[in-house]
Amino acid sequence: MECSIDFGSKKIKYTLLYTKRKTLGITVNPDMEIVVKAPENSAMELVETKVRKRAPWIIKQQNYFLTFHPKLNDKKYVSGESHYYLGKQYRIEVLEDKKNEVSYKGRYIQVKTKNKSNVKKLLNDWYRVKSKEKFEAIAAPLIEKFKKYNVEPTGLYMQDMKTRWGSCTPQGKIILNPELIKTPKGCIEYVIIHELCHLVHLSHNQKFFDLQAKECPLWERWKTKLEQFG
């Protein structure tokens, strides 16, 4: 059942499920979906009261997961436009040339191409190559560090994701969004550490956050930085 409550100026939408459990439970999923599981025959008034009481926590959780949701890209891919690489801002310079090539010089990322309609694809392909190279280099010492917890990912992969910066599968695969290459190194480390922590603690419980704080003391700083990038 789809329900909602008003909390200040914000509308909190949630899915209500009636189960045989004895207490009411509220879960915020990584995709920011809110699921409320209530005992059978629970009064709607009681459910709404509980949700409203937990509203500050719900919003806090959604804001946290929002960190892992890349913003929409509305770039035009023309000369003079700003683009990021490892947290630094560059201007792209589109040049007509007989060959297709991308490189960065000074504060510019040069895109040489026979056809300017190819700029977006060429730049995205370049980002992907750089992502594989940099992610593996950044992840290597972190993976080694986490071996003290007797865990190790089965692999490091890249995948375009509209709503996530990273994820960890039950099989131990760590998947990173290539868009991360546009953020500072500290942000990339934060996302990788976050996913490595999931190898130790599957859910976002207190032990998970304690481990994340231990292995990434400045995680809140990098979380805030990550929110600025899209």
Side-chain angles (χ1 to χ4, degrees):
M1 181 190 303
E2 300 302 317
C3 307
S4 67
I5 64 163
D6 292 321
F7 184 74
S9 59
K10 186 176 181 65
K11 182 177 288 293
I12 297 177
K13 299 180 180 179
Y14 60 94
T15 300
L16 176 60
L17 303 175
Y18 288 104
T19 69
K20 293 183 179 181
R21 60 183 294 151
K22 295 181 179 179
T23 59
L24 184 145
I26 301 175
T27 303
V28 180
N29 296 325
D31 60 3
M32 298 197 295
E33 178 191 19
I34 304 163
V35 178
V36 177
K37 294 181 180 180
E40 294 176 334
N41 302 319
S42 294
M44 194 64 204
E45 183 179 355
L46 175 62
V47 173
E48 291 182 351
T49 298
K50 290 284 188 179
V51 174
R52 188 168 283 105
K53 183 178 180 180
R54 297 298 304 279
W57 175 83
I58 290 171
I59 294 170
K60 181 179 179 181
Q61 287 296 104
Q62 287 184 320
N63 287 339
Y64 175 78
F65 286 126
L66 188 61
T67 311
F68 296 88
H69 287 220
K71 298 172 186 176
L72 294 176
N73 190 336
D74 59 354
K75 297 293 187 181
K76 303 299 183 184
Y77 298 91
V78 295
S79 288
E81 188 175 61
S82 293
H83 286 256
Y84 284 87
Y85 174 62
L86 291 177
K88 294 182 179 180
Q89 191 173 22
Y90 294 85
R91 299 283 183 183
I92 64 169
E93 185 178 26
V94 181
L95 303 173
E96 289 189 12
D97 199 280
K98 295 181 180 179
K99 56 185 177 181
N100 294 319
E101 184 180 78
V102 180
S103 62
Y104 65 102
K105 299 179 180 180
R107 302 304 295 176
Y108 287 88
I109 295 178
Q110 286 187 347
V111 182
K112 296 179 180 179
T113 178
K114 303 174 185 177
N115 188 337
K116 290 186 178 181
S117 65
N118 292 331
V119 174
K120 180 178 179 179
K121 182 180 184 305
L122 289 170
L123 188 57
N124 286 341
D125 287 347
W126 179 80
Y127 273 131
R128 199 170 188 90
V129 170
K130 289 295 182 181
S131 296
K132 180 175 175 57
E133 172 190 322
K134 296 295 182 180
F135 292 171
E136 290 180 352
I138 293 171
L142 299 175
I143 292 172
E144 189 65 30
K145 190 177 181 182
F146 265 75
K147 287 183 180 179
K148 63 188 175 187
Y149 300 113
N150 298 316
V151 297
E152 185 176 358
T154 55
L156 188 69
Y157 303 86
M158 290 188 305
Q159 180 179 313
D160 294 321
M161 296 180 281
K162 292 182 179 180
T163 61
R164 301 289 298 276
W165 286 114
S167 66
C168 181
T169 71
Q171 294 75 34
K173 295 180 181 179
I174 289 181
I175 302 172
L176 300 176
N177 191 327
E179 287 288 303
L180 261 178
I181 196 63
K182 299 176 183 179
T183 72
K185 180 183 177 183
C187 292
I188 299 171
E189 290 176 330
Y190 162 54
V191 173
I192 293 173
I193 289 172
H194 180 97
E195 303 308 336
L196 285 170
C197 286
H198 276 308
L199 296 179
V200 184
H201 302 292
L202 183 61
S203 63
H204 291 100
N205 55 28
Q206 191 57 51
K207 289 183 178 180
F208 171 90
F209 288 112
D210 288 344
L211 179 60
Q212 179 176 262
K214 178 182 177 181
E215 296 299 336
C216 187
L218 299 178
W219 73 269
E220 289 181 289
R221 171 187 174 186
W222 297 118
K223 171 182 177 293
T224 300
K225 279 278 187 183
L226 196 57
E227 290 172 348
Q228 299 170 3
F229 283 85

